[in-house]
Amino acid sequence: MEHFLYVFSERERDDMLAMNYTLIKSDETKHIYVFENREELHFDLTDVNAIPSDTLTF
């Protein structure tokens, strides 16, 4: 399982926060939001377009 989830819009950021995901880093200018990916939390990919990754890029 990848450690991070990337989303690229404010709506998706807000959806992830509403699902109790922890925001680790953000770049408001580029609309990049990185969340901690935890095993106990799951979401429907049709609602949030999140990209899993093991790399923290910024």
Side-chain angles (χ1 to χ4, degrees), residues 13-51:
R13 176 204 60 199
D14 294 344
D15 289 346
M16 295 289 284
L17 290 170
M19 291 184 281
N20 296 317
Y21 278 86
T22 302
L23 181 64
I24 297 172
K25 294 183 98 173
S26 65
D27 183 333
E28 295 290 333
T29 305
K30 296 180 180 180
H31 302 284
I32 301 171
Y33 307 96
V34 184
F35 290 86
E36 176 185 8
N37 189 9
R38 301 191 322 247
E39 287 186 32
E40 67 271 10
L41 296 176
H42 301 282
F43 59 90
D44 184 353
L45 289 176
T46 61
D47 293 338
V48 176
N49 185 21
I51 298 174

Side-chain angles (χ1 to χ4, degrees), residues 2-18:
E2 288 84 356
H3 292 92
F4 309 108
L5 295 170
Y6 283 77
V7 297
F8 301 96
S9 74
E10 292 176 5
R11 182 197 61 82
E12 291 171 325
R13 176 204 60 199
D14 294 344
D15 289 346
M16 295 289 284
L17 290 170

